[in-house]
Amino acid sequence: MTAPLVRALWVGIGIALVALPLLPIPTWVGAPDRGPNWGDHISLWSIGLVVVLVGAVVAGRIGVHAKWRAIRWPTVGHRTIVLGLSAMVLVVSALAMQHAFAGNPHLTDEVAQLFQARVFASGRLAAPPPVSPEFFLIAQTTVTEAGWVSQYPPGQAALLAVGILVSLEWLVNPLLGALGVGLVYVVTRSVYGSRVALVAATLWTMSA
């Protein structure tokens, strides 16, 4: 593939990742469900997105001007190192999920997203509103006449729903973390080169 085509592909993927969570779900999907209403949270998501993008640009510029050539890299190929880092994230995260949390969510955010994932896995966009909603209040969820939903974008819940369908929802986040190592390396390498990409993948692993 030519360089302009590769660049256009990455730009298209980036736009899709940013735009898809913000698009409204058509009312005809899963009728008579009207589905979740995420419109009230777009401003908050936008603030987080701006923070991440600004941080990425600043870190990238620092990486470009740093003297990476002075570092002696190991003789092992970068691909092998990245695969090793991915495997490390997967194994450590999976062990933590099972031995520290017994495969259960441990934050209200995770409870809300897992709730939405179970709704998706049942084939609906929103759970039916309970008859007495005051007895079913869960943080980070909203009960309306249209249904009972999580306040978060649907992407993570959709991935968790896939895990629920195969009874491995606890493994979804470790797999995403491991995949993230490779994606960080590939994206960074296409912009700043392989040396900076390896540093970025290593930092990602350390923060996972």
Side-chain angles (χ1 to χ4, degrees):
M1 298 177 68
T2 62
L5 183 58
V6 172
R7 189 179 299 109
L9 177 61
W10 280 116
V11 170
I13 293 175
I15 293 175
L17 291 176
V18 172
L20 286 178
L22 303 179
L23 295 178
I25 296 179
T27 55
W28 51 264
V29 177
D33 265 344
R34 294 177 58 190
N37 176 21
W38 289 292
D40 297 336
H41 307 287
I42 290 180
S43 60
L44 298 178
W45 302 337
S46 300
I47 293 173
L49 179 62
V50 169
V51 171
V52 171
L53 291 178
V54 171
V57 171
V58 172
R61 298 309 301 172
I62 293 174
V64 167
H65 295 291
K67 297 180 179 179
W68 299 108
R69 294 182 180 180
I71 301 177
R72 293 186 177 181
W73 299 96
T75 56
V76 181
H78 286 192
R79 180 178 300 178
T80 303
I81 296 176
V82 172
L83 288 175
L85 293 174
S86 298
M88 183 187 305
V89 170
L90 176 60
V91 171
V92 173
S93 300
L95 289 175
M97 283 295 297
Q98 281 299 304
H99 294 283
F101 305 111
N104 298 311
H106 62 287
L107 296 174
T108 56
D109 308 65
E110 297 179 4
V111 173
Q113 293 199 16
L114 187 60
F115 162 77
Q116 186 66 52
R118 295 190 184 281
V119 174
F120 285 160
S122 69
R124 300 175 63 91
L125 294 177
V131 177
S132 301
E134 61 272 15
F135 297 108
F136 294 90
L137 295 178
I138 298 177
Q140 321 300 349
T141 66
T142 302
V143 178
T144 69
E145 295 181 357
W148 185 10
V149 298
S150 165
Q151 71 175 26
Y152 295 104
Q156 174 69 6
L159 294 174
L160 288 172
V162 176
I164 290 174
L165 293 176
V166 295
S167 300
L168 289 173
E169 63 270 20
W170 63 270
L171 192 57
V172 171
N173 283 341
L175 286 172
L176 292 176
L179 179 62
V181 177
L183 291 177
V184 166
Y185 178 82
V186 171
V187 173
T188 308
R189 184 184 60 181
S190 66
V191 180
Y192 302 112
S194 60
R195 293 174 184 264
V196 178
L198 186 60
V199 173
T202 304
L203 293 175
W204 172 277
T205 302
M206 294 172 62
S207 63

